[in-house]
């Protein structure tokens, strides 16, 4: 679609041979649910100043894929979830903006978030029940929380769950990380991370290389490596560590 088109309604791809693509440019508006199941694939792409609202986004079943892209100054709002071995991803480029809760549940399921250019994402990323989450920030990308629980942005929950967060040079991520119930998380920081590392049970590894970790609260990790980096603690009196 192009110019000032408006599209409303759900988009579904069911079955291994099913592929559905929706691209919008100009000031295109989209609102609806996205579903990929039984190996189906759904891809949406917002460009220019388009505004896409995903009322619900679900990829379920091995081989199913759900992909959401935004470029230039486009905006994508809504939640994406992968389960039962499926994958879902959100990719934000240039000055695009994304908002929502991204999650994956179950062994083999993957949720991915990529932020490049001056793009930004506001929301949460969660891997649970053996799933994987992969987050990559490059250029001057930004990620932060929203709402009443804005401090908790990254979660890895349950044995077999993994969360991989790469905060590249020039980028910034604001929000706490929580690892619980035997899960794993690995953070690589060359940019700036503002948040706390909360460890219930599991493995949490933080590696800094030319980066900054600005702690906002009590933190615990299993492995901490710092190379030519800075770890900044809150001012005296604001909390105990």
């Amino acid at each position: 679609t192009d110019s000032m088109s408006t599209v409303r309604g759900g988009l579904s791809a069911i079955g291994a041979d099913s592929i559905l693509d929706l691209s919008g440019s100009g000031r295109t508006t989209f609102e609806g649910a996205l579903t990929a199941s039984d190996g189906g694939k759904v891809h949406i792409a917002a460009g220019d100043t388009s505004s896409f609202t995903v009322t619900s986004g679900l990829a379920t079943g091995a081989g199913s894929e759900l992909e959401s892209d935004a470029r230039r100054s486009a905006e994508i709002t809504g939640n994406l979830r992968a389960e039962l071995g499926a994958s879902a991803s959100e990719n934000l480029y240039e000055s695009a903006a994304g908002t929502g809760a991204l999650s994956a549940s179950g062994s083999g399921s993957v949720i991915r978030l990529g932020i490049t250019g001056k793009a930004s994402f506001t929301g949460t990323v969660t891997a649970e029940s053996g799933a994987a989450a992969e987050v990559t920030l490059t250029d001057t990308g930004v990620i932060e929380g929203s709402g009443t629980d804005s401090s908790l942005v990254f979660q890895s929950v349950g044995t077999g769950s993994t969360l991989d967060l790469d905060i590249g040079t020039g980028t910034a991520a604001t929000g706490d990380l929580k690892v619980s119930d035997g899960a794993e998380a690995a953070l690589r920081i060359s940019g700036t991370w503002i948040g706390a590392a909360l460890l219930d049970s599991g493995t949490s590894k933080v590696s800094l290389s030319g980066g900054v970790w600005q702690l906002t609260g009590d933190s615990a990790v299993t492995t901490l490596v710092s190379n030519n980096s800075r770890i900044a603690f809150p001012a005296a009196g604001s909390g105990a560590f």
Side-chain angles (χ1 to χ4, degrees):
T1 62
D2 55 24
S3 188
M4 297 179 63
S5 301
T6 298
V7 179
R8 291 188 175 89
L11 305 177
S12 299
I14 303 172
D17 296 325
S18 300
I19 300 174
L20 194 155
D21 284 284
L22 173 66
S23 298
S25 59
R27 289 184 285 174
T28 298
T29 300
F30 165 76
E31 182 176 354
L34 307 176
T35 305
S37 62
D38 300 328
K41 297 174 175 61
V42 175
H43 174 232
I44 62 171
D48 297 325
T49 57
S50 297
S51 177
F52 282 21
T53 299
V54 179
T55 55
S56 68
L58 175 64
T60 180
S64 301
E65 299 177 7
L66 184 59
E67 183 176 357
S68 173
D69 298 339
R71 296 180 180 275
R72 297 189 178 178
S73 298
E75 298 180 355
I76 291 185
T77 301
N79 303 336
L80 300 183
R81 182 173 177 83
E83 59 183 32
L84 301 177
S87 65
S89 62
E90 183 158 315
N91 303 297
L92 305 171
Y93 305 92
E94 298 165 325
S95 297
T99 303
L102 309 182
S103 63
S105 178
S107 178
S109 302
V110 183
I111 186 73
R112 298 182 177 93
L113 172 62
I115 305 172
T116 64
K118 298 179 181 179
S120 63
F121 175 80
T122 302
T124 59
V125 181
T126 303
E128 60 187 12
S129 302
E134 302 171 2
V135 181
T136 304
L137 291 87
T138 59
D139 299 321
T140 57
V142 175
I143 183 170
E144 60 186 2
S146 64
T148 56
D149 296 321
S150 60
S151 63
L152 185 57
V153 174
F154 311 103
Q155 293 190 74
S156 185
V157 184
T159 302
S161 298
T162 61
L163 188 147
D164 190 271
L165 173 58
D166 194 342
I167 304 172
T169 302
T171 69
T174 300
D176 295 348
L177 161 71
K178 184 176 182 179
V179 178
S180 60
D181 299 331
E184 299 180 8
L187 278 69
R188 292 178 298 279
I189 307 169
S190 296
T192 300
W193 177 35
I194 302 172
L198 311 176
L199 180 60
D200 180 9
S201 65
T203 303
S204 180
K205 302 178 181 179
V206 177
S207 301
L208 295 98
S209 179
V212 176
W213 178 10
Q214 184 175 324
L215 284 86
T216 57
D218 294 350
S219 296
V221 298
T222 51
T223 304
L224 174 62
V225 178
S226 180
N227 178 23
N228 192 31
S229 302
R230 181 167 62 93
I231 300 175
F233 292 84
S238 61
F241 288 82

